[in-house]
Amino acid sequence: MKLGSILLSFFLPIQGILIGVGFAIFLDTFTGIWKGVKTKESITSRKLSRLISKTLLYESTIMLFYVMDYFIINELVSQLFSVPFLVTKCVALVLFSVEAISINENIKAITGEDMWSRAKSLLSRIKEIKKDVDEIK
C-alpha cells in the first residue's frame, strides 16, 4: 500500500498530461465508433480491445519518459529551456497529435468536412462579428 502511494505521489506532477492523453484516446474511440455506426462498418470486440492496449502503451510511455526526464534529462534540458519536464511534455504532445489526426479522420468520414476547415470557418466568422461590433462603436 505504501509503495502504491509513493508511486502515485511520484507521478502526480504529470497527472494532467495522463488524463489529457487518456481523454484524447476516449474521443478517438468515441468518434471511431460513431464512424463505424454511420458507415455501417462492423464494430468488433477485437477492434475495441485495441483501446486497452493503446491506453496502456500511451500512458506507460508518458510515465517512462517522465522517469527518464525526472532522473536524467530534465537537469540537462533545464539549462537550455525553463520548461520543466520538456521531453515528457513533447512526447505527450506527439501522442496527443496522433489522436487528434485520427479524430479528424473519423469526423471527416462522418461529416465530409474536417475539423481544421471548420475551425478556420469559425475563426473567420468570429473576425466578421468582431469587425461588425467595432463598426457599431
Side-chain angles (χ1 to χ4, degrees), residues 17-18 21 62 87-98:
I17 294 171
L18 294 171
V21 171
I62 292 169
V87 174
T88 303
K89 292 175 182 175
C90 288
V91 168
L93 184 63
V94 168
L95 296 175
F96 187 80
S97 298
V98 168

Side-chain angles (χ1 to χ4, degrees), residues 10-127:
F10 178 75
F11 290 111
L12 199 57
I14 59 167
Q15 163 188 330
I17 294 171
L18 294 171
I19 291 170
V21 171
F23 185 70
I25 293 169
F26 168 77
L27 279 178
D28 180 38
T29 303
F30 177 77
T31 57
I33 291 171
W34 186 14
K35 179 183 112 179
V37 168
K38 199 80 161 161
T39 60
K40 308 231 186 300
E41 186 179 315
S42 65
I43 301 168
T44 63
S45 62
R46 178 119 172 115
K47 288 180 184 177
L48 286 176
S49 69
R50 293 182 196 159
L51 168 68
I52 296 167
S53 59
K54 182 195 292 189
T55 303
L56 287 174
L57 178 67
Y58 281 21
E59 301 290 333
S60 60
T61 299
I62 292 169
M63 292 167 84
L64 176 67
F65 271 90
Y66 176 71
V67 169
M68 291 189 308
D69 217 357
Y70 186 86
F71 289 110
I72 302 168
I73 303 169
N74 192 47
E75 190 174 323
L76 300 171
V77 173
S78 64
Q79 293 177 6
L80 301 172
F81 304 101
S82 62
V83 178
F85 308 114
L86 181 65
V87 174
T88 303
K89 292 175 182 175
C90 288
V91 168
L93 184 63
V94 168
L95 296 175
F96 187 80
S97 298
V98 168
E99 292 304 301
I101 290 168
S102 180
I103 292 167
N104 185 39
E105 290 171 353
N106 291 336
I107 289 175
K108 190 172 184 176
I110 295 165
T111 64
E113 191 176 347
D114 66 5
M115 291 186 318
W116 312 125
S117 63
R118 283 186 172 193
K120 287 178 189 176
S121 172
L122 179 65
L123 285 175
S124 66
R125 288 174 58 197
I126 290 171
K127 285 181 182 178

